[in-house]
Amino acid sequence: MQHIHTYIQEHKDRFINELLELLKIPSISADSAYEKDVIKTADVIKKSLEAAGCDAVEICLTPGYPIVYGEKIVDPSLPTVLVYGHYDVQPPDPIDLWDSPPFEPVIKKTEIHPEGAIFARGSCDDKGQMYMHVKALELMTETDQLPCNVKFMIEGEEEVGSKSLSWFVENNQEKLANDVILISDTGMIAKDVPSITTGLRGLSYVEVEVTGPNRDLHSGLYGGAVANPINVLTKMIASLHDENNHITIPGFYDKVENLSDSEREQMAKAPFSLEAYKKALDINAVYGEKGYSTNERNSIRPTLDVNGIWGGYTGEGAKTVIASKAYAKISMRLVPNQDWEEITTLFKNHFESIAPDGVTIKVTPHHGGQGYVTPIDSLGYQAASSAYQDSFGKTPIPQRSGGSIPIVSLFEKELKSKTILMGFGLDSDAIHSPNEHFGVWNYLKGIETIPLFYKYFTELSKNK
Ligand code: BES
Ligand code: MN
Ligand code: MN
């Protein structure tokens, strides 16, 4: 489609500059100090949707951060695509490890992105990927080729569990009615290996607290005679995996869907270099559950990881002390059929049961969500596949991702439609890490591929 290329060529500098402006606002949903910035970002998104051609754009207030909703209804008899994305970002810490300030975007060339990549928190996750959809809408309305109806729903709490969005979706089924949900908030295998995400993992996130003596104690006077909460906590955590790296919580694997041999063979065909993987992370060996490949370990298998652990003295020098309390934050990535609330209960019961005498345990669930898998024979998948075929010149590979977007399973339950995950990020883009970036090439390729999805989805829907 020549006019797609022409429009992008003519407007790409502006497309990039608008994204840079958006990235300057620190919309960190986890930190209440940034509340004003999060709300301001919603306003900017609203204006951008209006400018791109949405007819009705609203800021929908919620008990948490607002949801920006916009739509362009061309003809009610045509199919409707619902676009979802998020305008909130992860905290940038540790700030010292950024080469340039996280909210002062700069474009730099990298080995993988010789055309340049935009370095800023949220550049890939998800402001950059969400904004591709806004610019794709602009392209379609300006060049008179929007073939169907479109609705946008952009939230500001994805990075903290999408609580308000769950409430919004449950209460607005009619408003959000659609034929397919389209999301760019995942990745692809490589720039020359396009892929469509067909699965997401579920999540159960908990915090644990171990309490020993009622106050911090001198480690000479009391050491060896009372349970040390940090010793106990680390021992308990270590026991959660066995020597094969299987998780030891009773019942944890009961509902895990086991893939057939042929499905596993299919997965193993995706291009992957273990050497390159290790090199990119500066590790001399991979590590994980016995009997599974690296790609299986990080997508179709459930996991348990400590995300943070603290307690006692961590300041400069040495302080001889036995802390009264020790803490850890633990995430469990789940696979389809595992229910996150059930897993949270299994974890809590098990963790309490393995505590030795002399300490008390508190387990606090944070948030969670179910996993998701989507078939590759749906209209949406086929439309996406044709779109990539046109823009990349290659058939995309279906790929299950290890990350989570918990709201997706709720979309299917409440709105009864399939979600297509067209992600354009790369694993090396460092989302959630210092120096997050998003390739300019990827950004523009997304803007090119999205209108093709609309075109094919509308065509396939008509022929159904
Ligand atoms: N966009 C990510 C999820 C993602 C990234 C999925 C790459 C697949 C590939 C999303 O913003 C995210 O970070 N999700 C969180 C869960 C959420 C409940 C905080 C995650 O996966 O840790
Ligand atoms: Mn995201
Ligand atoms: Mn994220």
Side-chain angles (χ1 to χ4, degrees):
M1 297 240 281
Q2 194 46 45
H3 31 312
I4 295 186
H5 286 276
T6 318
Y7 194 86
I8 293 174
Q9 276 314 314
E10 279 170 9
H11 298 274
K12 65 173 193 233
D13 291 343
R14 180 174 53 84
F15 287 177
I16 294 165
N17 287 330
E18 286 176 12
L19 175 56
L20 298 185
E21 288 305 310
L22 185 60
L23 291 168
K24 287 181 188 166
I25 319 172
S27 49
I28 307 164
S29 51
D31 188 342
S32 56
Y34 294 89
E35 190 180 325
K36 281 207 177 83
D37 295 294
V38 183
I39 292 169
K40 187 172 150 196
T41 310
D43 256 6
V44 174
I45 305 294
K46 174 176 187 267
K47 292 199 181 84
S48 73
L49 282 172
E50 284 164 348
C54 274
D55 288 332
V57 188
E58 313 161 49
I59 299 264
C60 305
L61 299 178
T62 74
Y65 284 123
I67 293 158
V68 188
Y69 177 81
E71 60 181 36
K72 173 135 188 108
I73 307 297
V74 182
D75 175 348
S77 69
L78 286 168
T80 300
V81 176
L82 173 66
V83 176
Y84 161 80
H86 62 95
Y87 64 81
D88 63 321
V89 302
Q90 284 277 326
D93 326 83
I95 269 239
D96 297 351
L97 297 183
W98 284 77
D99 296 331
S100 56
F103 297 106
E104 293 172 27
V106 285
I107 299 180
K108 283 186 288 188
K109 292 183 165 63
T110 71
E111 206 176 307
I112 294 177
H113 297 292
E115 307 84 2
I118 302 166
F119 282 76
R121 171 58 85 230
S123 54
C124 177
D125 182 13
D126 180 40
K127 281 175 176 166
Q129 296 214 68
M130 175 268 293
Y131 207 66
M132 297 181 313
H133 288 268
V134 181
K135 293 299 99 180
L137 174 66
E138 175 198 310
L139 184 156
M140 290 185 286
T141 50
E142 288 295 318
T143 59
D144 243 344
Q145 55 177 324
L146 178 64
C148 61
N149 305 312
V150 55
K151 297 178 176 176
F152 272 76
M153 177 172 66
I154 313 297
E155 70 153 320
E157 293 178 12
E158 195 276 342
E159 298 292 6
V160 290
S162 302
K163 218 179 181 170
S164 301
L165 188 71
S166 305
W167 165 86
F168 185 75
V169 171
E170 281 159 10
N171 290 290
N172 287 284
Q173 267 124 327
E174 217 162 290
K175 184 188 186 94
L176 301 173
N178 66 82
D179 297 282
V180 70
I181 299 169
L182 185 60
I183 304 179
S184 296
D185 192 22
T186 55
M188 59 182 186
I189 296 177
K191 283 166 79 177
D192 56 349
V193 189
S195 57
I196 298 174
T197 305
T198 50
L200 293 164
R201 285 197 285 193
L203 180 70
S204 163
Y205 200 106
V206 296
E207 183 164 329
V208 298
E209 179 187 298
V210 178
T211 307
N214 60 7
R215 60 185 166 88
D216 288 8
L217 303 172
H218 188 288
S219 65
L221 296 182
Y222 289 94
V226 296
N228 175 332
I230 301 178
N231 292 9
V232 168
L233 174 63
T234 50
K235 201 167 166 183
M236 288 169 72
I237 287 171
S239 79
L240 296 175
H241 289 93
D242 69 13
E243 65 283 5
N244 293 322
N245 277 312
H246 291 302
I247 294 156
T248 56
I249 300 168
F252 186 84
Y253 291 101
D254 283 2
K255 295 195 175 157
V256 168
E257 157 216 51
N258 287 309
L259 266 66
S260 67
D261 287 348
S262 75
E263 281 173 301
R264 291 181 69 186
E265 275 164 30
Q266 210 52 43
M267 265 191 82
K269 283 190 194 147
F272 175 73
S273 156
L274 191 58
E275 282 317 306
Y277 187 86
K278 289 192 288 188
K279 191 161 168 267
L281 301 176
D282 276 329
I283 50 175
N284 62 11
V286 290
Y287 185 92
E289 190 183 3
K290 195 175 170 187
Y292 295 93
S293 70
T294 295
N295 275 337
E296 290 174 334
R297 287 170 179 167
N298 67 25
S299 65
I300 59 161
R301 297 298 296 166
T303 57
L304 182 152
D305 277 292
V306 178
N307 291 236
I309 183 162
W310 70 103
Y313 184 69
T314 56
E316 196 183 329
K319 177 186 178 191
T320 49
V321 67
I322 291 175
S324 163
K325 285 176 187 287
Y327 307 82
K329 292 189 192 275
I330 297 175
S331 71
M332 287 163 277
R333 295 285 169 170
L334 310 175
V335 297
N337 297 344
Q338 279 183 301
D339 177 75
W340 78 272
E341 281 172 320
E342 197 178 317
I343 292 290
T344 306
T345 306
L346 289 179
F347 175 90
K348 185 173 189 297
N349 292 343
H350 177 67
F351 208 69
E352 285 166 356
S353 80
I354 60 173
D357 287 345
V359 297
T360 54
I361 304 289
K362 197 165 119 196
V363 176
T364 312
H366 272 274
H367 55 70
Q370 315 294 35
Y372 186 70
V373 264
T374 190
I376 62 169
D377 57 5
S378 69
L379 280 193
Y381 188 92
Q382 286 172 10
S385 185
S386 302
Y388 280 81
Q389 183 70 50
D390 280 9
S391 62
F392 286 78
K394 281 180 186 169
T395 306
I397 298 174
Q399 186 204 27
R400 279 171 65 165
S401 170
S404 310
I405 311 177
I407 199 71
V408 172
S409 66
L410 190 91
F411 288 160
E412 180 149 331
K413 182 166 159 250
E414 298 290 335
L415 306 176
K416 315 270 182 288
S417 50
K418 294 270 172 260
T419 292
I420 302 302
L421 298 155
M422 295 193 0
F424 294 91
L426 299 176
D427 283 355
S428 54
D429 286 346
I431 62 170
H432 292 205
S433 301
N435 301 316
E436 174 178 354
H437 54 280
F438 188 36
V440 168
W441 183 90
N442 301 61
Y443 177 56
L444 299 176
K445 207 65 181 166
I447 300 173
E448 177 187 339
T449 310
I450 292 163
L452 295 164
F453 172 83
Y454 281 74
K455 175 185 140 201
Y456 285 115
F457 187 73
T458 308
E459 277 176 23
L460 286 172
S461 302
K462 280 181 188 156
N463 298 335
K464 196 168 52 174

